Amino acid sequence: MNTSEKLFERAQQLMPGGVNSPVRAFRSVGGTPFFTKRANGARLTTADDKELIDFVCTWGPAIHGHNDPDVRAAIAAALENGTSFGTPNPYEVEMAELITELVPSVEKVRMCNSGTEATMSAIRLARGYTGRDKIIKFAGCYHGHVDSLLVKAGSGALTLGNPDSAGIPASFAAETIVLDFNDVDALRQTFAAQGEQIAAIIVEPYPANCGLILPDPGFLQALRSICTEHTSVLIFDEVMTGYRLAAGGVQELVGITPDLTAMGKIIGGGLPVGALGGRAEIMDHLAPLGPVYQAGTLSGNPLAMAAGIASLQKLKALQPYERLEKMGQIIRDALVGAAKEKGLPIQVPQVGSMFAVFFTEHPVRNYGDATSGETQHFNKLFKYALDHGVYLPPSAYETCFISTAHEGNAIDQAADVLAAGIRAI
Ligand code: KE4
């Protein structure tokens, strides 16, 4: 057994499935997960000293690549003064100023420690603000492991084949209405029937937890209009897309203003973080000002704030979005080109530094389309890539991420490997 296998054997005795987050367990792609001992730039080094070009980027945060020197220096400087104070600290103010500058719809922000906390708080806030109970989400969207949102969820839940987790009381699930993404008619019918009970719609504006799905023209606008019409709260879950597809996220790209935005990942620079932000009139319903309770021992933690500030400042300075788009296109063209040569049906939705691979004839518009693809082909591509030094997310229902550190030989090398992987299917 190699080092990763030995570690995994020990881990399985101590942690359910040997992991601290299910998607890492390789359950759907098979094989033993490798353990990472170091990461730099676009590459991971495994416990067995194998180098891998990384398209997971720790599920989003590493937009500047791993172990970025500026982020590392910021953490080191903050560390000099201690790790956590439990009181307000200057970093929180700087972070809030950066977030409200980069995302204009965010007038006020509350930091927390994960994307799950951000969406959980957003749901509670929307219910407290409106006095209503029902929430609309879309099948295949994943908003973290929040009880009321683990209904037809994506990401690891879908990967393991249980999009509806055990342990959610039917009474909780009953308050969540699940619709198909891109289905405006179903949306209108639901609001016509239950509009006055609907506290909020929560949506990944570009769903990236059942592969990557892009909205039909007008769909996001329809969400905005219908929420305005019924005074329901429109929540954009930009935990993954925020600051990645544009400094202001998808809402900047599509010019649509949500009432609340859930954020995470990049704003922590790789340390635990989440944030909820939006209209001050709604946000001021949060304790200690308002009646909706929300709290966290390590919320606004100085180390995570310092890392996130450095990451955001670097994005502001570099504005790397065209470079990331170019690299996304290199990968997409390599995959589509190889599949065309082979006559293999493939869809490679790609926006900026995010892309996914579906082996299916038709464009993927919703959960049903995404789950009707040929996942065995994905698993073969995953394995070929891993054997040839490229690490894709270990699930057909995730989205791949590119960092600025991929620029140059990493992206070209990976494009060649992925094209060869398609040819080998
Ligand atoms: P966390 O609680 O994992 O920080 O964030 C939850 C979350 C919320 N919203 C969106 C759109 C998300 O994508 C996520 C988490 N993303 C997954 C990857 N698809 C995390 C990976 C994992 O669960 O290990």
Side-chain angles (χ1 to χ4, degrees), residues 97-104 243 247-249 252 312 315-316 319:
E97 283 170 343
L98 268 170
I99 287 177
T100 52
E101 176 198 341
L102 294 173
V103 190
Y243 313 94
E252 177 185 309
L312 291 181
L315 281 176
K316 264 183 75 178
Q319 290 293 331

Side-chain angles (χ1 to χ4, degrees), residues 121-135:
S121 307
I123 296 297
R124 185 179 316 129
L125 176 56
R127 285 174 162 154
Y129 172 69
T130 60
R132 303 174 186 173
D133 293 342
K134 298 264 184 231
I135 298 289

Side-chain angles (χ1 to χ4, degrees), residues 5 9 21 23-24 28 67 72 88 119 122 124 144 146 172 188 209 230 270 344 367-368 391:
E5 287 163 339
E9 191 165 77
S21 197
V23 71
R24 303 177 194 168
S28 69
N67 206 8
R72 196 174 64 239
T119 58
R124 185 179 316 129
V146 189
F172 275 36
R188 292 200 191 296
N209 282 290
H230 291 267
L344 194 64
Y367 173 83
Y391 176 48

Side-chain angles (χ1 to χ4, degrees), residues 20-24 59 113-117 119 142-145 155-156 204 208-209 237-241 262 264-265 273 397-399 401:
N20 282 308
S21 197
V23 71
R24 303 177 194 168
W59 302 102
N113 302 282
S114 69
T116 295
E117 280 186 48
T119 58
Y142 176 72
H143 303 289
H145 58 100
S155 186
E204 292 178 66
N209 282 290
D237 178 350
E238 297 225 43
V239 167
M240 277 217 267
T241 53
K265 297 187 191 261
V273 78
Y397 300 120
E398 292 288 355
T399 290
F401 296 102

Side-chain angles (χ1 to χ4, degrees), residues 147-331:
D147 275 356
S148 52
L149 298 175
L150 271 179
V151 183
K152 272 272 174 290
S155 186
L158 180 56
T159 300
L160 299 175
N162 65 334
D164 304 305
S165 171
I168 315 281
S171 60
F172 275 36
E175 299 301 343
T176 305
I177 301 165
V178 183
L179 300 178
D180 263 343
F181 191 72
N182 281 324
D183 186 344
V184 180
D185 292 343
L187 185 77
R188 292 200 191 296
Q189 284 153 22
T190 304
F191 268 90
Q194 310 179 60
E196 73 292 344
Q197 297 173 49
I198 296 171
I201 293 176
I202 183 165
V203 65
E204 292 178 66
Y206 288 179
N209 282 290
C210 49
L212 180 60
I213 298 178
L214 299 180
D216 292 350
F219 179 68
L220 294 177
Q221 186 50 55
L223 300 184
R224 175 63 279 168
S225 316
I226 210 157
C227 280
T228 303
E229 187 188 338
H230 291 267
T231 59
S232 301
V233 176
L234 178 58
I235 304 167
F236 272 13
D237 178 350
E238 297 225 43
V239 167
M240 277 217 267
T241 53
Y243 313 94
R244 172 164 283 279
L245 295 182
V250 170
Q251 54 194 275
E252 177 185 309
L253 291 181
V254 299
I256 290 174
T257 303
D259 300 305
L260 295 177
T261 302
M263 297 165 273
K265 297 187 191 261
I266 284 175
I267 61 173
L271 297 190
V273 78
L276 165 62
R279 283 176 26 215
E281 185 228 339
I282 302 177
M283 291 296 290
D284 285 349
H285 280 68
L286 283 178
L289 269 190
V292 180
Y293 197 68
Q294 192 283 343
T297 303
L298 294 171
S299 297
N301 172 272
L303 299 191
M305 295 299 98
I309 289 165
S311 188
L312 291 181
Q313 281 171 337
K314 193 157 185 167
L315 281 176
K316 264 183 75 178
L318 295 178
Q319 290 293 331
Y321 300 104
E322 276 173 34
R323 291 161 56 197
L324 292 165
E325 171 62 32
K326 278 201 181 70
M327 288 192 271
Q329 288 178 11
I330 289 170
I331 295 293

